[in-house]
Amino acid sequence: MLDLRGKRVLVVGGGAVGRRKALSAFSAGAAVRVVALESLHEEFAAHVSIEWIQANYHADHLQGMCLVFAAATPAVNDRVALDAIRRGVWVNSASDPTAGDFTLPAVVRRGELTLAASTGGAAPALARRIREKLEREFDEHLATWIRLLEMIRPTVRESIADPELRRALLDDFADWPWLERLKAEGEDATRRLMEQRIRAAAL
């Protein structure tokens, strides 16, 4: 859980793994540079703000970076990891998780909610399968529920003076039956019922 907004991130390697790391960092708000032997991938043609350098990796590419993903061959990744550690730059190695400073969890995002599964680099395939299971179990209704809770919270705080009652009401709205109601009845109906509960509690 790093805030990468405005931070400079280097990705070494332009294969599928490197491209995935680059897009993930870019979506998190980072300024991304990719150094790869491969030519600019068509997937990145629309991402003009991602710098793509077709070249052999050199330690100078780490200049000014706060984070680096080594996603090339194992030999190159080992060199990137060593150079990064010497320069005090956090590094993740796709070929040897123990060579770097951090590993990446498999992530599911639903609106403001982030679910992460990690095996500490021991079994990435298992982490991926856990992520896939979470994706199936927690669909986009979860993002809608979170948005509803965010919208209804100020109303509860303004309408209910008793802090214990306020806490109990918010706790109730965050319980699983509300998600099932949302799936069955829709967002508008669920919000109306929440508002009715608030009015009743305020009497």
Side-chain angles (χ1 to χ4, degrees):
M1 294 291 193
L2 293 176
D3 184 356
L4 293 180
R5 289 174 294 183
K7 302 294 193 302
R8 299 187 69 195
V9 172
L10 174 68
V11 177
V12 179
V17 174
R19 296 196 305 273
R20 189 167 66 249
K21 304 294 188 191
L23 290 173
S24 179
F26 176 74
S27 67
V32 180
R33 171 187 291 168
V34 177
V35 174
L37 295 178
E38 298 88 349
S39 58
L40 178 66
H41 193 272
E42 60 182 9
E43 187 179 11
F44 285 72
H47 297 286
V48 292
S49 54
I50 296 179
E51 183 184 10
W52 187 291
I53 300 174
Q54 187 177 6
N56 286 303
Y57 161 77
H58 189 277
D60 288 346
H61 289 129
L62 291 165
Q63 185 67 36
M65 299 296 163
C66 75
L67 203 71
V68 57
F69 294 101
T73 64
V76 173
N77 291 347
D78 288 346
R79 183 180 166 199
V80 173
L82 185 61
D83 290 343
I85 290 169
R86 284 174 174 168
R87 291 175 176 239
V89 179
W90 280 35
V91 59
N92 168 265
S93 172
S95 53
D96 182 7
T98 63
D101 302 291
F102 67 98
T103 57
L104 294 176
V107 173
V108 176
R109 290 186 174 86
R110 296 292 184 251
E112 294 300 314
L113 178 70
T114 300
L115 303 171
S118 174
T119 60
L126 175 58
R128 186 188 73 246
R129 287 188 172 89
I130 293 172
R131 185 203 70 211
E132 291 168 351
K133 184 176 177 64
L134 289 172
E135 285 176 334
R136 291 192 300 270
E137 293 187 4
F138 297 103
D139 60 17
E140 292 302 328
H141 287 98
L142 194 62
T144 304
W145 186 25
I146 293 169
R147 187 172 66 249
L148 269 177
L149 292 174
E150 181 182 25
M151 293 167 60
I152 215 75
R153 186 179 181 87
T155 306
V156 173
R157 294 175 66 87
E158 293 167 6
S159 304
I160 309 298
D162 185 331
E164 290 299 322
L165 181 57
R166 208 164 46 221
R167 189 162 31 250
L169 195 58
L170 289 170
D171 186 67
D172 175 64
F173 289 157
D175 205 358
W176 298 112
W178 284 98
L179 178 58
E180 298 308 313
R181 184 183 295 275
L182 175 64
K183 290 179 179 179
E185 301 180 19
E187 181 177 354
D188 292 340
T190 303
R191 179 174 182 175
R192 284 195 298 270
L193 183 55
M194 286 180 170
E195 291 170 343
Q196 289 172 10
R197 293 281 180 88
I198 296 169
R199 288 194 293 271
L203 294 177

